[in-house]
Amino acid sequence: CTSCYTSILAISQKYYDTVNNMCINTCLYNQFISILNASHPDLSCYPCASTCLTCVNVSYNCTSCTVLPPKYLYVSTNKCMTDCPPEYY
């Protein structure tokens, strides 16, 4: 499938998983729902950037980072980095 049927009566399996090409109840922990167009939200689940463990709204807006190799969340930019910037720890 390339999209999922949604209606008020059919709440379950409303998100389209773009990685596995299937309809699911909710996006996986390493995926996000695009809300760039709030009046017509895209009900598809997209993968986060490879450095992000979790993300929101766009792939590179990380909310947590991968563990292997270790990455650190730089909260000013929501990016995962290998090393902390100077004056951060």
Side-chain angles (χ1 to χ4, degrees):
C1 64
T2 57
S3 65
C4 301
Y5 176 76
T6 59
S7 76
I8 294 173
L9 300 175
I11 300 295
S12 65
Q13 298 186 348
K14 65 181 180 177
Y15 298 105
Y16 177 66
D17 182 344
T18 60
V19 174
N20 299 305
N21 297 322
M22 59 190 295
C23 296
I24 56 179
N25 293 330
T26 187
C27 293
L28 302 175
Y29 73 92
N30 61 344
Q31 296 178 331
F32 69 97
I33 301 168
S34 177
I35 60 165
L36 296 178
N37 183 351
S39 62
H40 292 81
D42 181 355
L43 295 177
S44 294
C45 302
Y46 296 96
C48 296
S50 61
T51 57
C52 302
L53 183 62
T54 56
C55 63
V56 64
N57 300 339
V58 292
S59 66
Y60 53 84
N61 188 24
C62 305
T63 54
S64 65
C65 303
T66 59
V67 177
L68 296 172
K71 300 285 182 190
Y72 304 98
L73 182 63
Y74 186 41
V75 294
S76 297
T77 62
N78 283 6
K79 302 259 188 293
C80 293
M81 306 173 70
T82 305
D83 298 309
C84 292
E87 300 179 13
Y88 286 83
Y89 59 93

